[in-house]
Amino acid sequence: MICDAVVLAAGSSSRLGSPKQLVRIGGKTLLARAVEAALGSGCRHTWVVLGSGGEELEPGLAGLPVRILDNPQWHEGMGSSVRLAAQRIADRSDPPDAILFLTCDQPGVTSESLDRLLRAASGPPSIVAASYAGTVGVPALFKRAHYPELARLSGARGAKPLLQKHADQVVGVRLPEAEADVDTPDDLGSG
């Protein structure tokens, strides 16, 4: 199965008060950690969706084998970034069998985490999502049958409505490391 990874990094980090993508944990920015996880996984291509502050973030991606998508509608919410990536990837002459979406604010997610999702998707499930804290969410993988729905998303919740709508098709993979995310200054702790 061929899968492309999409790092969602277009948000304004309004609750944090500064670009969370540039927050350093363990000597690396959150954006760098997410991109490294995607590049180190079994995904074919890594796409990064930028929006708010993209001009400040793009230099940190220089020299990396990533494809950058600029989302001018980033202010609409994560759904607009998912939509943009799904449209661009689905329209390619060689679209992958699946798209794996991840955010840059889950510092515990690694290449190994993403590869566990890829392995779970090698069979019949059409959606594979991280399972943690009693829910399923990102990182989440959607097979080609869901590209049209992904390409119509809007709003702040990203692809969560599709996970709920197609709950009977979702296979959850336990990824407790995905539970910790960075949204507010309190989430940074001693980092």
Side-chain angles (χ1 to χ4, degrees):
M1 178 189 69
I2 297 171
C3 183
D4 281 7
V6 174
V7 178
L8 301 168
S12 67
S13 311
S14 58
R15 289 183 284 172
L16 187 62
S18 62
K20 73 171 77 173
Q21 301 92 325
L22 297 176
V23 167
R24 290 190 170 277
I25 294 180
K28 295 180 185 172
T29 66
L30 288 176
L31 180 58
R33 292 174 77 88
V35 168
E36 282 181 13
L39 289 172
S41 74
C43 292
R44 175 184 64 172
H45 298 302
T46 296
W47 302 75
V48 180
V49 182
L50 299 178
S52 176
E55 64 283 343
E56 190 178 358
L57 302 175
E58 201 165 336
L61 301 172
L64 295 174
V66 297
R67 296 158 187 233
I68 297 172
L69 295 173
D70 178 45
N71 179 7
Q73 281 87 40
W74 63 266
H75 57 278
E76 291 177 16
M78 191 183 305
S80 69
S81 291
V82 172
R83 178 180 69 230
L84 173 66
Q87 289 170 345
R88 291 281 181 85
I89 292 171
D91 285 347
R92 292 178 53 85
S93 61
D94 62 342
D97 302 311
I99 302 173
L100 174 59
F101 293 95
L102 64 151
T103 61
C104 68
D105 65 355
Q106 294 172 299
V109 172
T110 64
S111 299
E112 293 78 20
S113 307
L114 302 179
D115 284 342
R116 286 181 18 224
L117 296 172
L118 290 172
R119 283 192 297 275
S122 65
S126 64
I127 302 173
V128 176
S131 172
Y132 49 88
T135 190
V136 291
V138 289
L141 178 149
F142 294 84
K143 289 190 177 171
R144 194 176 294 169
H146 297 285
Y147 291 3
E149 285 181 292
L150 290 166
R152 291 190 302 269
L153 281 176
S154 62
R157 296 181 62 217
K160 189 73 167 182
L162 294 185
L163 294 177
Q164 293 166 336
K165 176 181 177 183
H166 300 293
D168 60 329
Q169 299 173 40
V170 177
V171 169
V173 174
R174 189 165 142 57
L175 290 184
E177 64 269 31
E179 183 174 353
D181 67 358
V182 177
D183 287 322
T184 68
D186 290 341
D187 295 333
L188 293 172
S190 60

